[in-house]
Amino acid sequence: MSYAAVVVGSAFVPSLPLNLNPNPNPNPNGSLPSPNNTSSTGGGAEDPNHYTMKPTVTVAASSGFKWRLVIAYDGTHYSGWQYQQSPPTIQCIVEKALTQATKLERKDLLLVGASRTDKGVHALCQVAHFVTPFNYDSLESIHAALNGLLPSDIRVREISPAMHEFHARFSAKRKIYHYKIYNDTIMDPFQHRYAYHSAYKLNAAVMREAASYFIGKHDFSAFVNASHNDRVRDPVKNIFRFDVIEMGALLQLEVEGSGFLYRQVRNMVALLLQIGKEAIPPDIVPMILASRDRKELAKYALSAPPHGLCLVNVNYNEEHLGLPSDCPKTSFGRHHTISKCKLPSY
């Protein structure tokens, strides 16, 4: 089975006038039945007051259109992705922007994210989807509208049409997280929001050996924190790779897996930190895995802080990333251009 990564663009979108021009003749091939699932839980020149126009649309009563978002955010000031009224979460802020841009209610949008990142965790490539009862001729204006309404630490990097079969969470096959550790006596002030500072000299070689024990299919019950908001989930996950990469003073831990339990990555990193300090041997990893007991891990390590963790990519089956027929092109944002250079005459 082949997999495809959601590719993210690099252009952030400045303020543009809203010109939503939905297609008044929705395409039956791009339509989808009303979903039964419930929702999971700008700075500079961008002015949200520009984006108040309601599009004129023809609504199909029994059909709708699904749209895929790729979102990047600095999670420092948010309580994770999952929706809750207070304190603010990423999903809450994105839904507010969507309701303003589309003039639809939250219950109609059915926004779902691929990963419920925790408080303080960042994302380069959080994938989400939402639905509308209308189609668009172009996605560039709604893309600009969303970024004009969002705060500067949250950005929609891509917006594209999605097939009915696509689901941001349940279609995901692999996720990649990076955890950054700044390993020097003095912390780099430009890294302090995105990397954990370890003044202890870490042995990257033994951390790499220990990380190799995580690779494969295991029961990760010993590495999951209890959460009263979480449903009972299968503790068996498949880790495809776990790399420890040295980049000068920066250690980057890259883990790719079929999925992750609540705080699983941070708990694995915490144990690797203790191993890197040479406080415990690398072969303690299989012993803790075999115990399937969170209390066993707690004897050696607590969770690593959230700010070093970033969701980097989400991979999907290629067939779920196809585009419906008669749909607008994917929007990666657009640059402002100057058509003429107007110089004063003397």
Side-chain angles (χ1 to χ4, degrees):
M1 183 177 293
S2 60
Y3 301 99
V6 171
V7 181
V8 297
S10 60
F12 286 173
V13 184
S15 177
L16 293 170
L18 179 62
N19 182 21
L20 301 181
N21 185 21
N23 185 350
N25 298 306
N27 170 36
N29 296 325
S31 63
L32 62 146
S34 299
N36 294 322
N37 59 297
T38 57
S39 172
S40 73
T41 54
E46 295 170 351
D47 181 3
N49 293 326
H50 287 185
Y51 309 111
T52 56
M53 184 185 298
K54 184 175 181 179
T56 302
V57 298
T58 300
V59 178
S62 60
S63 64
F65 298 86
K66 184 175 284 188
W67 311 98
R68 180 169 50 244
L69 301 172
V70 178
I71 307 169
Y73 52 82
D74 179 334
T76 303
H77 302 299
Y78 301 97
S79 294
W81 167 267
Q82 191 78 353
Y83 182 89
Q84 60 187 50
Q85 289 287 353
S86 180
T89 65
I90 306 295
Q91 183 177 357
C92 180
I93 301 297
V94 172
E95 282 185 349
K96 183 178 180 181
L98 280 169
T99 57
Q100 289 180 264
T102 65
K103 303 304 178 185
L104 297 173
E105 299 295 328
R106 176 177 181 260
K107 62 181 177 62
D108 300 319
L109 291 165
L110 297 173
L111 179 69
V112 177
S115 181
R116 291 177 288 180
T117 54
D118 200 13
K119 179 179 181 180
V121 175
H122 315 293
L124 177 65
C125 179
Q126 169 72 282
V127 181
H129 77 257
F130 68 98
V131 298
T132 62
F134 47 77
N135 197 4
Y136 287 103
D137 284 336
S138 170
L139 292 173
E140 288 187 340
S141 292
I142 182 67
H143 192 170
L146 291 175
N147 281 335
L149 291 160
L150 290 167
S152 59
D153 52 4
I154 305 175
R155 277 292 170 269
V156 174
R157 303 187 69 176
E158 292 180 22
I159 178 169
S160 62
M163 299 175 64
H164 165 58
E165 293 80 8
F166 175 81
H167 191 284
R169 183 189 301 171
F170 300 128
S171 296
K173 295 301 179 184
R174 299 185 180 206
K175 296 176 183 177
I176 301 174
Y177 281 90
H178 289 181
Y179 194 97
K180 292 184 178 180
I181 303 165
Y182 195 80
N183 190 203
D184 204 351
T185 53
I186 298 173
M187 181 60 180
D188 181 347
F190 295 101
Q191 297 280 351
H192 82 282
R193 289 176 68 157
Y194 310 107
Y196 169 69
H197 180 215
S198 174
Y200 294 92
K201 182 61 179 176
L202 299 174
N203 185 334
V206 295
M207 292 175 71
R208 202 171 286 117
E209 178 186 347
S212 69
Y213 290 113
F214 287 118
I215 297 173
K217 189 175 288 187
H218 303 285
D219 184 324
F220 283 93
S221 295
F223 290 85
V224 59
N225 281 28
S227 172
H228 66 277
N229 292 323
D230 205 5
R231 54 186 176 147
V232 177
R233 303 185 69 181
D234 183 2
V236 177
K237 302 297 176 185
N238 195 357
I239 302 300
F240 304 109
R241 67 180 180 93
F242 202 147
D243 300 327
V244 179
I245 300 171
E246 297 177 83
M247 299 181 289
L250 197 66
L251 277 181
Q252 184 161 285
L253 279 57
E254 301 183 1
V255 57
E256 180 176 358
S258 60
F260 298 95
L261 300 166
Y262 180 55
R263 294 195 179 176
Q264 178 187 335
V265 177
R266 289 166 57 190
N267 286 331
M268 292 190 295
V269 169
L271 185 62
L272 292 181
L273 280 167
Q274 294 301 319
I275 292 169
K277 294 175 185 177
E278 301 182 337
I280 48 179
D283 59 6
I284 202 168
V285 173
M287 184 196 77
I288 295 175
L289 279 169
S291 75
R292 301 179 183 179
D293 186 355
R294 178 68 179 83
K295 294 178 181 177
E296 190 65 27
L297 174 64
K299 295 177 183 177
Y300 306 99
L302 301 175
S303 291
H307 67 280
L309 186 62
C310 181
L311 173 64
V312 172
N313 212 344
V314 185
N315 293 347
Y316 294 90
N317 284 336
E318 288 184 1
E319 55 266 29
H320 286 188
L321 291 180
L323 299 179
S325 59
D326 192 23
C327 64
K329 294 180 180 179
T330 297
S331 172
F332 299 97
R334 59 188 176 192
H335 295 283
H336 280 177
T337 59
I338 299 176
S339 57
K340 290 183 178 180
C341 182
K342 296 181 179 180
L343 298 175
S345 57
Y346 297 99

